[in-house]
Coordinates of all heavy atoms in Angstrom, one line a residue:
M1447 N -2.4 -4.0 24.7 CA -1.2 -3.3 24.2 C -1.6 -1.9 23.5 O -2.8 -1.5 23.5 CB -0.5 -4.1 23.2 CG 0.0 -5.4 23.7 SD 0.9 -6.4 22.6 CE -0.4 -7.0 21.6
G1448 N -0.6 -1.2 22.9 CA -0.9 0.0 22.2 C -1.7 1.1 23.0 O -1.3 1.3 24.2
S1449 N -2.6 1.7 22.4 CA -3.3 2.8 23.2 C -4.1 2.3 24.4 O -4.4 3.1 25.3 CB -4.3 3.6 22.2 OG -5.2 2.7 21.7
A1450 N -4.3 0.9 24.4 CA -5.0 0.4 25.7 C -4.1 0.7 26.9 O -4.6 0.9 28.0 CB -5.1 -1.1 25.5
L1451 N -2.8 0.8 26.7 CA -1.8 1.1 27.8 C -2.1 2.5 28.4 O -1.8 2.8 29.6 CB -0.4 1.0 27.4 CG 0.1 -0.4 27.2 CD1 1.5 -0.4 26.5 CD2 0.2 -1.2 28.5
L1452 N -2.7 3.4 27.6 CA -3.0 4.7 28.1 C -4.0 4.7 29.2 O -4.1 5.6 30.1 CB -3.5 5.6 27.0 CG -2.5 5.9 25.9 CD1 -3.2 6.7 24.8 CD2 -1.3 6.6 26.4
R1453 N -4.8 3.5 29.3 CA -5.9 3.4 30.3 C -5.3 2.6 31.4 O -6.1 2.4 32.4 CB -7.1 2.8 29.7 CG -7.9 3.7 28.8 CD -9.2 3.2 28.2 NE -8.9 2.6 27.0 CZ -9.1 1.3 26.6 NH1 -9.4 0.4 27.6 NH2 -8.8 0.8 25.5
T1454 N -4.1 2.1 31.3 CA -3.5 1.3 32.5 C -2.1 1.9 32.7 O -1.1 1.2 32.4 CB -3.4 -0.1 32.1 OG1 -2.7 -0.3 30.8 CG2 -4.7 -0.8 32.0
P1455 N -2.0 3.2 33.2 CA -0.7 3.8 33.3 C 0.2 3.1 34.2 O 1.5 3.2 34.0 CB -1.1 5.2 33.7 CG -2.5 5.1 34.3 CD -3.1 4.0 33.5
D1456 N -0.3 2.4 35.3 CA 0.6 1.7 36.1 C 1.3 0.6 35.4 O 2.6 0.4 35.6 CB -0.3 1.0 37.3 CG -0.8 2.0 38.2 OD1 -0.4 3.2 38.2 OD2 -1.8 1.6 39.0
T1457 N 0.7 -0.1 34.6 CA 1.4 -1.2 33.8 C 2.3 -0.5 32.8 O 3.5 -1.0 32.7 CB 0.3 -2.0 33.0 OG1 -0.7 -2.4 33.8 CG2 0.9 -3.1 32.2
L1458 N 1.9 0.5 32.1 CA 2.8 1.2 31.2 C 4.1 1.7 31.9 O 5.2 1.5 31.4 CB 2.1 2.4 30.5 CG 2.9 3.2 29.5 CD1 3.5 2.4 28.4 CD2 2.0 4.3 28.9
C1459 N 3.9 2.3 33.0 CA 5.1 2.8 33.8 C 6.0 1.7 34.2 O 7.2 1.8 34.2 CB 4.7 3.7 35.0 SG 4.0 5.3 34.4
L1460 N 5.4 0.6 34.6 CA 6.1 -0.5 35.2 C 7.0 -1.2 33.9 O 8.1 -1.5 34.1 CB 5.1 -1.6 35.7 CG 6.0 -2.7 36.5 CD1 6.7 -2.1 37.7 CD2 4.9 -3.8 37.0
I1461 N 6.4 -1.3 32.8 CA 7.0 -1.8 31.6 C 8.3 -0.9 31.4 O 9.4 -1.5 31.2 CB 6.1 -1.8 30.4 CG1 5.0 -2.9 30.5 CG2 6.9 -2.1 29.1 CD1 4.0 -2.9 29.5
L1462 N 8.1 0.4 31.3 CA 9.2 1.3 31.1 C 10.3 1.2 32.1 O 11.5 1.2 31.8 CB 8.7 2.7 30.9 CG 7.7 2.9 29.7 CD1 7.1 4.3 29.7 CD2 8.3 2.6 28.3
Q1463 N 9.9 1.3 33.4 CA 10.9 1.1 34.4 C 11.7 -0.1 34.4 O 13.0 -0.1 34.5 CB 10.2 1.1 35.8 CG 9.9 2.4 36.4 CD 8.9 2.3 37.6 OE1 8.5 1.2 37.9 NE2 8.4 3.4 38.0
E1464 N 11.0 -1.2 34.1 CA 11.7 -2.5 34.0 C 12.6 -2.5 32.8 O 13.7 -3.1 32.8 CB 10.7 -3.7 34.0 CG 9.9 -3.8 35.3 CD 10.8 -4.4 36.4 OE1 11.5 -5.4 36.2 OE2 10.9 -3.7 37.4

Side-chain angles (χ1 to χ4, degrees):
M1447 298 181 287
S1449 61
L1451 285 169
L1452 299 174
R1453 285 182 269 116
T1454 55
D1456 292 345
T1457 307
L1458 176 56
C1459 288
L1460 193 61
I1461 291 173
L1462 296 172
Q1463 272 165 8
E1464 292 290 305

